[in-house]
Amino acid sequence: MAAPAPRVDEPAPLALANTLWIDRHGVHDALADKDYVQAWIRAVGKRLDVRPAPGSTDGLRLEAVGRLIEVRDAFRRLAAEATGDSRDLVASPVPDVATAVSLINAASAAETVWPELRFQRRRGLARQDAWSGDAFAEAVITVIARQAIELATSPRWEMLRACEAPACAYFFIKEHRREWCSALCGNRARVARHAQRQHNR
């Protein structure tokens, strides 16, 4: 079953958390497909504006995939605790918050990524993350872990929600009157509520 296209219109840690999805056949992990992981890393890296240092490569090693999944599962554990998420079907395998914090801190600690100040004619001064080392994937994982720390310690963390639409595994930031992660989930939730009301008559 093909994974949905990478969602990069949200903070990178949330985009990573939302690589699990549910359909009528069960729970699926987009990161189980190496080709998808490569496409996801490229799409998110471009959005994060992570730029390669001279001599770096953009290969994807198996251990990088494992580390990406670890960071994803650690973030999902923190998000589940923050939102009171009770969706057992997509519960994180990370056993507790302390372990999740440890995994995110370890991923954040890589010394092969650093911020640089760049001058661009259209944008003026801008921050970009530069990296060196063996793989672009490692740099993206480090930046995502650092953004997870920033998000979890920011006021936006209070607005984090687990989508309560039927058969959804996603988290989202509640902004304005938003109640679900997407319009599709909103429609599904309304249909389910209507069906429940009909059943209770």
Side-chain angles (χ1 to χ4, degrees), residues 37-60:
V37 175
Q38 194 119 33
W40 191 90
I41 289 278
R42 280 197 206 102
V44 172
K46 184 175 181 182
R47 173 112 197 281
L48 293 174
D49 217 7
V50 179
R51 300 293 181 195
S56 300
T57 64
D58 113 356
L60 182 64

Side-chain angles (χ1 to χ4, degrees), residues 15-94:
L16 179 57
N18 293 340
T19 54
L20 284 182
W21 89 98
I22 304 172
D23 65 12
R24 60 188 176 161
H25 303 293
V27 179
H28 304 279
D29 184 352
L31 301 184
D33 177 347
K34 190 175 176 182
D35 289 338
Y36 181 90
V37 175
Q38 194 119 33
W40 191 90
I41 289 278
R42 280 197 206 102
V44 172
K46 184 175 181 182
R47 173 112 197 281
L48 293 174
D49 217 7
V50 179
R51 300 293 181 195
S56 300
T57 64
D58 113 356
L60 182 64
R61 295 179 306 187
L62 200 55
E63 52 269 34
V65 177
R67 213 164 358 266
L68 188 64
I69 291 170
E70 271 185 356
V71 171
R72 190 264 315 272
D73 293 345
F75 185 81
R76 285 187 69 89
R77 167 56 60 208
L78 296 180
E81 293 292 326
T83 61
D85 183 16
S86 59
R87 300 172 297 180
D88 290 337
L89 198 58
V90 289
S92 170
V94 174

